[in-house]
């Protein structure tokens, strides 16, 4: 008897506590998503919107770009993050603080920086012209997008991985070395497995952010069209709500599937190690 | 098989000016077991890391293995085995994976490795646990895995940093006996760090007592106990009763004797099973602090006066 009333009490209490969260979830997440999914059926419909050559090309470019950026950002951040976590040198705190600065920049500013760096009047161009007599301009290509995306992804990855590297027990590395492991064995057998959860997590966030980034691509107005750009164009310029909604669902679903696959792969990797 | 290790004039300073170790020369004979004993922060771990090659001595210091200078050799090339204070087991490997790691790194073929791991599991009484995850082990089992992992590649020098530090008292004693038996059969030169004097005395052929980055005394447990170099060593490796001036004695040098010449009043007594530990207020001019003595049988009640005789051969003259 007592048990029943006890469990009934917390159940009601839990329901009451959960209610506001459920309302929020419904109002800001499920309802708009459902509306968006419904919108996709208007006009030519999902299949036509998604299979249009333009959409498929944008999807392919976006996924490739985001994957390339995620891998590069995580690899670079692993090296830098581990270094910053372990070494103490003058100016280290300032450097760490400066690294987090780009986090506040909107995509437009990042695009602008890429133009300053590799645009028609850019720094890289001036240097290569002086050296080789030819201006290297890549701001408006896939490479420019890559540079911009990498720029805004790196700080986030470094922050996450640095925190994980600080939590790694240095005695594990010393233990591996005392057993005869050289530098690369230590990296492979101790550091990478220790950082794996952080690498996967920051890679996933990086990928999702890159998939949805608009500002940088917009500023660079490149020859490569990424999916968010296409959605923007359909929505504001062509006011083609049905196509914009279809592509949005495609973008969301693709990101979700890729992340689920990555998580599954890293999970089985960790289990095998 | 085992080697003679020598620290020659080794000091260790940190950039902030801390002198963790003052210039020190210490020899560890082949096959011997040495305890580095001292209070927290006295430089025990520092000494061990210098031997391991995890830290470099200041300029002028040299580390020699069997007469060969290994000062510049990093830890991975010194061929030592080390057990870390918190064991530092690899969480992503099972017990067998941990124990076999040193062999894997050396490129030992799989079949040979498996045989050696099985041998180590048997030696450390871990049979059947080879495929256990290390976070599913008890503290004592972890300690044995760490030991097996260090021993698997057959090192010529074994270094242990507070091997029993994280264990409760009863387990410490059991594992201490186990380790003593293991070391006696392996005859590897062994150096272990502890701040427990009983552990140092029980396991070590040789005890090195340290304080504030200096070696105060090096000798057999018996010598260090019976002829301590100074008051600090005497107090650290046992109990000292002050007799006045620079004269001290161990508790067992005092015994109740109606014809004795020393007197004291019982302050408190602690029943410890086999004996009772008495604390007395000495009634001897110049004697400071309390006296301690261990008695079997019935003991006088607190507040009663005792007459004691002193074994005069056991009086220690200790400088401050
Ligand atoms: N990185 C460092 N920078 C500055 N001082 C240090 C550093 N590492 C250790 N020390 C100092 O060196 C001294 C000796 O340290 P060590 O670790 O050898 O002591 P220990 O005898 O092992 O002590 P414990 O029993 O507490 O482990 C201590 O005073 C410690 O504060
Ligand atoms: Mg220590």
């Amino acid at each position: 008897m007592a048990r029943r009333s006890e469990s009934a009490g917390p159940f009601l209490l839990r329901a009451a506590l959960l209610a506001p969260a459920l309302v929020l979830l419904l109002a800001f997440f499920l309802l708009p998503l459902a509306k968006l999914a419904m919108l996709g059926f208007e006009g030519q419909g999902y299949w036509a919107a998604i299979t249009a050559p333009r959409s498929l090309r944008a999807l392919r470019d976006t996924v490739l770009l985001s994957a390339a950026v995620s891998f590069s950002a995580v690899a670079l951040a692993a090296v830098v993050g581990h270094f910053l976590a372990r070494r103490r040198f003058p100016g280290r705190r300032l450097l760490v603080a400066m690294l987090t600065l780009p986090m506040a920049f909107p995509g437009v500013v990042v695009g602008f920086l890429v133009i300053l760096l590799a645009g028609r009047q850019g720094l890289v161009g001036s240097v290569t012209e002086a050296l080789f007599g030819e201006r290297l301009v890549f701001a408006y290509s896939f490479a420019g997008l890559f540079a911009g995306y990498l720029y805004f992804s790196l700080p986030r990855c470094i922050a996450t991985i640095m925190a994980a590297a600080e939590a790694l027990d240095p005695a594990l590395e010393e233990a591996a070395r005392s057993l005869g492991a050289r530098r690369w064995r230590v990296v492979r057998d101790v550091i990478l497995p220790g950082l794996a959860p952080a690498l996967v997590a920051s890679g996933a966030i990086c990928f999702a952010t890159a998939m949805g980034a608009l500002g940088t691509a917009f500023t660079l107005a490149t020859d490569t069209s990424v999916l968010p750009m296409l959605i923007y164009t359909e929505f504001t310029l062509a006011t083609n709500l049905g196509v914009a909604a279809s592509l949005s669902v495609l973008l969301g679903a693709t990101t979700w599937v890729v992340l689920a696959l990555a998580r599954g792969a890293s999970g089985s990797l960790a289990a095998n190690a | 098989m085992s080697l003679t290790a020598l620290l020659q004039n080794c000091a260790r300073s940190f950039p902030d000016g801390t002198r963790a170790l003052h210039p020190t020369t210490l020899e560890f004979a082949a096959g011997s077991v040495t305890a580095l004993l001292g209070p927290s922060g006295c430089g025990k771990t520092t000494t061990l890391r210098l031997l391991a090659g995890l830290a470099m001595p200041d300029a002028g210091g040299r580390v020699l293995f069997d007469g060969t200078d290994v000062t510049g050799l990093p830890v991975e090339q010194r061929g030592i085995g080390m057990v870390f204070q918190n064991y530092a087991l690899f969480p992503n490997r099972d017990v067998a994976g941990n124990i076999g790691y040193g062999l894997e790194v050396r490129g030992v073929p799989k079949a040979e490795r498996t045989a050696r791991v099985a041998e180590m599991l048997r030696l450390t009484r871990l049979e059947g646990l080879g495929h256990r995850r290390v976070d599913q082990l008890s503290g004592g089992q972890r300690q044995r895995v760490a030991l097996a992992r260090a021993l698997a590649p057959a090192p010529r020098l074994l270094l242990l940093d507070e091997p029993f530090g994280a264990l409760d008292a009863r387990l410490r004693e059991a594992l201490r006996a186990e380790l003593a038996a293991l070391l006696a059969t392996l005859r590897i030169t062994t150096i272990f760090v502890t701040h427990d004097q009983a552990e140092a005395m029980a396991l070590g052929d040789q005890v090195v007592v340290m304080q504030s980055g200096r070696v105060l005394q090096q000798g057999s447990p018996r010598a260090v106990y019976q002829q301590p170099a100074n008051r600090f060593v005497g107090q650290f490796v046992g109990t000292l009763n002050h007799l006045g001036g620079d004269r001290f004695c161990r508790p067992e040098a005092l015994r109740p004797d109606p014809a004795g010449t020393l007197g004291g009043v019982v302050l408190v007594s602690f029943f410890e099973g086999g004996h009772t530990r008495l604390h007395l207020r000495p009634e001897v001019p110049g004697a400071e602090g309390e006296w301690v003595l261990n008695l079997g049988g019935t003991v006088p009640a607190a507040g009663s006066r005792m007459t004691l005789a002193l074994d005069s051969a056991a009086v220690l003259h200790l400088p401050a």
Side-chain angles (χ1 to χ4, degrees):
Chain A
M1 293 303 119
R3 268 186 65 200
R4 185 180 295 167
S5 64
E6 241 173 53
S7 63
F11 176 77
L12 284 178
L13 189 66
R14 246 179 270 152
L17 288 174
L18 268 177
L22 283 176
V23 171
L24 273 180
L25 186 72
L26 207 68
F28 289 103
F29 194 69
L30 294 181
L31 284 181
L33 266 190
K35 182 71 188 153
L36 187 72
M38 299 287 290
L39 263 177
F41 289 109
E42 285 177 14
Q44 52 197 132
Y46 273 100
W47 190 246
I50 288 171
T51 50
R54 206 171 47 133
S55 312
L56 285 179
R57 206 174 333 109
L59 177 67
R60 187 201 61 198
D61 287 356
T62 314
V63 169
L64 284 182
L65 176 65
S66 303
V69 167
S70 307
F71 276 111
S72 317
V74 167
L76 275 171
V79 176
V80 176
H82 189 259
F83 179 85
L84 286 177
R86 278 299 146 78
R87 300 299 166 87
R88 292 289 175 271
F89 50 88
R92 175 183 170 275
R93 287 164 64 110
L94 185 69
L95 187 64
V96 171
M98 296 227 325
L99 275 174
T100 51
L101 192 68
M103 281 203 224
F105 287 161
V108 180
V109 175
V110 174
F112 183 52
L113 288 175
V114 172
I115 292 175
L116 286 182
L117 186 74
R120 275 178 275 276
Q121 307 299 320
L123 197 63
V124 173
S126 313
V127 172
T128 50
E129 185 167 42
L131 288 179
F132 311 110
E134 208 169 308
R135 293 193 80 84
L136 178 64
V137 174
F138 63 81
Y140 318 100
S141 66
F142 199 74
L145 271 184
F146 178 82
Y149 280 33
L150 193 61
Y151 182 76
F152 69 68
S153 302
L154 261 180
R156 278 162 245 265
C157 291
I158 292 178
T160 314
I161 293 172
M162 210 174 107
E166 256 156 23
L168 275 188
D169 183 0
L172 286 180
E173 290 164 45
E174 292 182 344
R177 292 181 62 202
S178 79
L179 290 161
R182 314 245 160 164
R183 189 70 205 151
W184 284 112
R185 283 301 300 236
V186 176
V187 170
R188 203 194 81 182
D189 297 337
V190 177
I191 299 178
L192 284 182
L195 291 181
L199 298 183
V200 172
S202 60
I205 290 187
C206 190
F207 183 79
T209 314
M211 284 293 287
L214 173 66
T216 309
F218 194 69
T219 315
L220 295 177
T222 61
D223 358 329
T224 24
S225 173
V226 290
L227 208 48
M229 277 279 279
L230 200 57
I231 296 171
Y232 178 82
T233 316
E234 288 297 332
F235 181 62
T236 47
L237 304 182
T239 48
N240 199 340
L241 286 190
V243 174
S246 309
L247 293 179
S248 303
V249 171
L250 175 67
L251 178 67
T254 310
T255 308
W256 188 82
V257 167
V258 170
L259 291 187
L261 286 178
R263 238 173 241 130
S266 69
S268 64
L269 259 184
N272 286 340
Chain B
M1 221 2 244
S2 55
L3 56 72
T4 300
L6 177 64
L7 287 179
Q8 206 174 60
N9 201 28
C10 281
R12 170 86 176 143
S13 312
F14 288 105
D16 65 355
T18 317
R19 203 96 202 262
L21 191 68
H22 292 275
T24 298
T25 298
L26 276 174
E27 192 178 272
F28 306 92
S32 68
V33 178
T34 305
L36 297 179
L37 176 67
S40 186
C42 71
K44 306 181 295 289
T45 298
T46 303
T47 308
L48 209 65
R49 291 174 67 85
L50 288 176
L51 284 159
L54 286 166
M56 283 288 146
D58 296 349
R62 296 206 304 159
V63 183
L64 302 158
F65 286 178
D66 276 342
T68 313
D69 192 330
V70 295
T71 318
L73 223 52
V75 56
E76 56 268 31
Q77 289 170 41
R78 285 202 189 179
I80 52 129
M82 187 151 181
V83 173
F84 290 79
Q85 199 157 356
N86 53 4
Y87 311 139
L89 300 179
F90 305 128
N92 55 327
R93 292 170 164 261
D94 62 9
V95 169
N98 265 277
I99 298 177
Y101 185 73
L103 304 168
E104 201 181 307
V105 166
R106 284 169 176 75
V108 174
K110 181 113 206 269
E112 202 178 314
R113 213 160 73 207
T114 313
R116 178 75 178 151
V117 168
E119 188 192 334
M120 294 318 300
L121 285 170
R122 198 168 51 249
L123 206 59
T124 48
R125 301 199 302 111
L126 289 166
E127 295 107 322
L129 294 181
H131 296 293
R132 192 70 79 77
R133 288 168 47 131
V134 292
D135 57 8
Q136 294 167 344
L137 296 174
S138 72
Q141 288 167 338
R142 269 175 223 201
Q143 197 263 354
R144 295 206 293 260
V145 173
L147 187 63
R149 182 179 70 175
L151 289 173
R156 296 165 68 215
L157 178 65
L158 180 64
L159 305 169
L160 307 111
D161 196 352
E162 309 234 3
F164 311 110
L167 306 172
D168 64 71
R170 190 176 289 273
L171 196 56
R172 281 174 94 108
E173 255 175 67
L175 286 175
R176 187 200 292 168
E178 232 171 70
L179 182 63
L182 194 62
L183 292 179
T185 56
L186 294 174
R187 306 295 311 161
I188 301 177
T189 314
T190 303
I191 301 159
F192 73 100
V193 163
T194 178
H195 50 240
D196 180 339
Q197 53 91 15
E199 208 162 279
M201 309 277 236
L203 269 177
D205 307 327
Q206 178 182 230
V207 177
V208 174
V209 186
M210 301 179 64
Q211 185 197 21
S212 324
R214 287 178 213 278
V215 172
L216 298 182
Q217 191 170 5
Q218 176 179 21
S220 70
R222 199 169 289 276
V224 171
Y225 184 79
Q226 292 177 343
Q227 291 118 34
N230 60 28
R231 276 174 218 182
F232 178 86
V233 174
Q235 255 151 11
F236 204 81
V237 301
T239 306
L240 282 182
N241 294 330
H242 189 214
L243 300 168
D246 68 346
R247 297 165 66 247
F248 294 83
C249 74
R250 293 293 185 197
E252 56 274 16
L254 288 174
R255 63 186 183 314
D257 184 346
T261 55
L262 303 176
V265 175
V266 178
L267 292 171
V268 62
S269 65
F270 301 101
F271 179 64
E272 291 182 349
H275 62 261
T276 303
R277 195 169 178 81
L278 287 179
H279 286 239
L280 287 83
R281 188 180 66 240
E283 290 186 331
V284 170
E288 286 163 15
E290 293 173 7
W291 285 351
V292 171
L293 75 160
N294 299 321
L295 289 184
T298 54
V299 296
S304 54
R305 195 172 175 284
M306 287 181 81
T307 312
L308 301 163
L310 173 68
D311 175 4
S312 59
V315 173
L316 304 168
H317 294 270
L318 300 179

